[in-house]
Amino acid sequence: MTTQAALTVLPVTAGALIGFVPTYLMERRREREALRKRWDEPMHQLCSETVVCVRKILYGRNQVKYSDADKDVVLSEMEDDYQRLPLLVEQIRLLGTRDLQVAARLMLRHAYAVRLEARGEPDPRADEYSKIPYERLVDAVQQFRVEARKQLRVETPEEIAREEP
């Protein structure tokens, strides 16, 4: 009787395992995908806000340098954007890859120099770089975009049009 019972239970057990393993693997895959998507949207939003903030600083610098806009108002707006930038960079440090964090920190570093230049102050890192602060910041934004696209798993992250065609 025990052999008969074992022969009956064995196919049932094997069938249960055959059904359980693929179901378990599919469920784990869905969980990983859901976790990845849960962080992609906040990272996309955060990177977008960061680039917009830096672009406003660059735009402000151009207004100060090339337009008849009220320089005090423009500099005040630039200051507000610059004060917001380190907060965004800190958030990137929580969610971003190391390369994305470094790219964000470089944007912050060069935004500081652009801000000083717009106020008529000297570039504190002129001896470290061959380019002016504006050009360094434009390059840093481009590198940040590439790193953000890598983290967001864009198929061709390096294929981004330059600012000036």
Side-chain angles (χ1 to χ4, degrees), residues 5 40 81 89 156:
D40 279 356
D81 291 324
V89 169
T156 53

Side-chain angles (χ1 to χ4, degrees), residues 142 145-147 149-150 154-161:
Q142 191 74 359
R145 288 180 182 135
V146 169
E147 295 305 330
R149 290 166 55 97
K150 283 179 184 176
V154 173
E155 284 187 33
T156 53
E158 293 86 11
E159 290 184 14
I160 301 173

Side-chain angles (χ1 to χ4, degrees), residues 39-52 84 88 91-92 95 144 152:
W39 293 115
D40 279 356
E41 184 57 36
M43 179 53 68
H44 176 266
Q45 184 66 32
L46 181 59
C47 289
S48 296
E49 287 178 34
T50 304
V51 169
V52 166
R84 185 167 177 251
L88 294 168
Q91 291 176 50
I92 289 168
L95 298 176
F144 178 81
L152 294 169

Side-chain angles (χ1 to χ4, degrees), residues 52-142:
V52 166
C53 189
V54 171
R55 294 294 302 162
K56 287 170 68 178
I57 292 169
L58 288 168
Y59 180 72
R61 178 266 190 187
N62 286 342
Q63 279 188 305
V64 167
K65 191 165 184 166
Y66 300 115
S67 81
D68 294 332
D70 184 346
K71 291 184 181 4
D72 291 334
V73 171
V74 173
L75 289 171
S76 176
E77 290 171 357
M78 282 180 71
E79 187 64 31
D80 292 344
D81 291 324
Y82 181 77
Q83 294 303 319
R84 185 167 177 251
L85 187 58
L87 303 174
L88 294 168
V89 169
E90 278 304 311
Q91 291 176 50
I92 289 168
R93 293 182 73 190
L94 292 174
L95 298 176
T97 62
R98 185 179 189 290
D99 290 338
L100 184 63
Q101 293 174 48
V102 169
R105 294 286 302 160
L106 278 175
M107 280 195 317
L108 180 62
R109 177 184 186 117
H110 298 313
Y112 175 77
V114 167
R115 185 175 125 250
L116 290 180
E117 177 194 49
R119 293 190 325 210
E121 298 177 30
D123 177 8
R125 296 185 184 93
D127 56 339
E128 293 177 44
Y129 299 100
S130 60
K131 293 181 177 181
I132 63 171
Y134 180 85
E135 292 172 354
R136 296 191 320 246
L137 185 52
V138 168
D139 290 345
V141 169
Q142 191 74 359

